[in-house]
Every structure is written in structure tokens, then in C-alpha cells.
């Protein structure tokens, strides 16, 4: 077993990610965090895109792409 294999086995990958979303009201695109701890609003029109739930945020926008670290 190589060193890289050991690292993959013992170091867990993060479950959170950044999301590129599109606002349902004005079609503006912005990047938000999947585990947001505050209400996330659209920067253009103010529509709510995500609300915190204690873990993963409830996403109200269309997810276009996910960015993993």
C-alpha cells in the first residue's frame, strides 16, 4: 500500500461543495456554499436562493454546476 493510498483511506473527503446556481426570478448566476449558515439572496434582485437548515442548506435556485475541492 503506497503513501497516497493510505492518505485516501484515513483522510475523509469533505461533503460540502460550492455550487453555481441560477436565480429563478432574474436568471443571474452566482456561486454559493452548499452548507450556508445564513440566508443567501440573489445579488441582482434579492430573491432567496438558499436557507440554512442546520446542515446542508435548502437550495431554491437551479444548480448549474458543483465545484468539489
Amino acid at each position: 500500500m503506497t503513501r497516497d493510498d493510505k492518505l485516501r483511506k484515513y483522510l475523509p473527503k469533505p461533503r460540502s461543495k460550492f455550487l453555481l446556481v441560477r436565480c429563478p426570478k432574474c436568471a443571474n448566476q452566482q456561486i454559493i456554499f452548499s452548507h450556508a449558515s445564513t440566508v443567501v439572496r440573489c445579488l441582482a434582485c434579492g430573491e432567496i436562493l438558499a436557507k440554512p437548515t442546520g446542515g446542508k442548506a435548502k437550495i431554491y435556485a437551479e444548480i448549474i454546476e458543483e465545484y468539489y475541492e
Side-chain angles (χ1 to χ4, degrees):
M1 184 177 275
T2 66
R3 182 175 185 269
D4 288 338
D5 292 336
K6 288 180 185 178
L7 285 176
R8 282 190 204 107
K9 182 178 177 182
Y10 295 115
L11 292 177
K13 302 239 185 219
R15 294 184 184 130
S16 59
K17 55 194 161 230
F18 288 94
L19 307 169
L20 178 65
V21 297
R22 180 179 292 133
C23 177
K25 189 173 179 182
C26 68
N28 181 46
Q29 294 181 4
Q30 72 186 58
I31 296 175
I32 63 173
F33 189 56
S34 66
H35 289 64
S37 60
T38 59
V39 174
V40 179
R41 295 184 175 272
C42 177
L43 296 173
C45 69
E47 182 77 12
I48 294 176
L49 300 179
K51 285 186 179 177
T53 61
K56 281 189 175 179
K58 173 70 176 161
I59 309 293
Y60 295 103
E62 175 190 355
I63 299 172
I64 299 171
E65 193 172 347
E66 298 177 353
Y67 297 101
Y68 295 97
E69 189 56 36

